[in-house]
Amino acid sequence: MTAPYRVREALGDEDREACFAVRREVFVEEQGVPQEIEYDAYDATAVHVLAVGADGLPLGTGRLLHGADAVGKTGADASVGSLGRLAVAKAARGLGVGAALVRGIEDVARERGLSAVDLHAQTHALGFYERLGYVAYGPEFPDAGMPHRAMRKALAA
């Protein structure tokens, strides 16, 4: 039996537009994040990961910032990547897509020689990331009007 979806690095404009469509559905339409802050300059240099259903439809996305783009989000540690913009389309929730995307982003981080991945989790999602091995640190802070916590996971080589 084939998996109902696969996770891969987004390549080319069509994949990138599929990533943006999922983010628009989840963050802009569902959560009310203003479109002008959802998309940023980091989108041009980030590694985007895409979950695609057997029918070819985009189910979820996330991105990894690394190098100079990540240092402002990781305590100036260039060996740490920054996972962000993780979004799963409403129709695909409960299928394990989010966890598969996180693992895909971690694989990309390992391929680029990073030692850990940081993220800023909406507080309602802390348990999800904790189950995947992330540990919260620092105080709660607002981002796009929602409470968040910083989290980190060291990557095994």
Side-chain angles (χ1 to χ4, degrees):
M1 178 178 145
T2 13
Y5 60 87
R6 66 188 189 100
V7 172
R8 60 178 171 76
E9 192 171 324
L11 302 170
D13 292 341
E14 191 175 324
D15 280 356
R16 189 171 298 235
E17 284 308 312
C19 293
F20 292 169
V22 173
R23 285 169 48 185
R24 192 167 31 259
E25 174 192 330
V26 173
F27 296 125
V28 177
E29 295 169 16
E30 281 182 43
Q31 296 184 354
V33 173
Q35 191 157 307
E36 57 273 11
I37 66 170
E38 173 51 33
Y39 307 100
D40 58 26
Y42 296 121
D43 281 325
T45 54
V47 179
H48 297 269
V49 175
L50 179 64
V52 181
D55 57 4
L57 291 176
L59 302 177
T61 188
R63 73 179 187 186
L64 176 73
L65 304 182
H66 55 93
D69 288 347
V71 295
K73 298 174 180 290
T74 62
D77 187 341
S79 72
V80 178
S82 177
L83 183 160
R85 302 304 201 266
L86 188 75
V88 176
K90 192 176 250 180
R93 293 181 192 151
L95 302 176
V97 173
L101 284 164
V102 171
R103 286 191 294 273
I105 290 167
E106 290 169 357
D107 289 344
V108 166
R110 277 187 203 89
E111 289 166 11
R112 283 159 174 76
L114 301 177
S115 64
V117 173
D118 264 22
L119 58 87
H120 294 165
Q122 293 179 12
T123 54
H124 71 81
L126 287 171
F128 166 77
Y129 290 111
E130 287 168 345
R131 288 189 293 280
L132 295 173
Y134 288 80
V135 177
Y137 67 90
E140 188 176 288
F141 60 92
D143 189 4
M146 292 172 270
H148 285 67
R149 290 278 309 278
M151 302 185 86
R152 178 172 288 186
K153 178 181 180 178
L155 299 175

